[in-house]
Amino acid sequence: MKNKRLRNDIILSVALLVLAIAAWGVIRFTHKTGEFAVVEIDGKETARYPLGDDMSVEIVTGDGHVNTLVIAGGRASVVSADCPDKLCVKQPAISRTGETIICLPHRLVIRIEGESGVDTAS
Ligand SMILES: [Zn+2]
């Protein structure tokens, strides 16, 4: 009786592990590595930078606020900003299609797109 329960636990653990690996594979497959960091201010695209080029850019929003975007090693992140909440700075670097960094106070969105754009493009 005891052994049977132990075996069931092992089977459950293995099943969970397989599920976790499968989920990870699906995420890897659906979220492809992006090609561009697209900058949107107030819903309008203002610039796009290739993720392959390491750079640091100051994004000045319509009302004169500044977010510093850094692209390094194929990842984009906001390293500094003069917004009050600094949530955009705290967000981790993004590199995969569909990932975003949002600065709500500045109405700024940095989005990763693939070479052929997002699949919602029409
Ligand atoms: Zn911000």
Side-chain angles (χ1 to χ4, degrees):
M1 190 70 181
K2 220 176 186 179
N3 278 344
K4 197 179 175 190
R5 186 182 289 169
L6 182 68
R7 204 182 60 192
N8 284 345
D9 282 354
I10 291 169
I11 290 168
L12 188 67
S13 302
V14 170
L16 284 175
L17 189 68
V18 168
L19 261 177
I21 291 168
W24 179 79
V26 166
I27 290 165
R28 289 280 297 191
F29 184 72
T30 53
H31 287 231
K32 295 193 178 94
T33 304
E35 299 283 334
F36 297 99
V38 177
V39 177
E40 276 182 13
I41 299 169
D42 222 354
K44 289 193 191 103
E45 180 180 328
T46 58
R48 59 172 59 210
Y49 304 101
L51 285 176
D53 295 350
D54 289 5
M55 65 174 80
S56 172
V57 210
E58 285 204 336
I59 301 164
V60 183
T61 59
D63 41 6
H65 289 293
V66 179
N67 295 63
T68 306
L69 168 70
V70 165
I71 296 172
R75 297 155 78 85
S77 59
V78 174
V79 294
S80 71
D82 61 356
C83 56
D85 58 15
K86 300 278 192 292
L87 285 178
C88 52
V89 180
K90 286 174 194 153
Q91 285 174 65
I94 53 174
S95 62
R96 291 177 181 278
T97 308
E99 287 183 322
T100 53
I101 291 176
I102 296 165
C103 183
L104 269 182
H106 295 176
R107 295 194 298 272
L108 169 75
V109 177
I110 294 157
R111 194 177 67 235
I112 301 299
E113 280 190 8
E115 196 152 25
S116 53
V118 286
D119 49 11
T120 51
S122 54

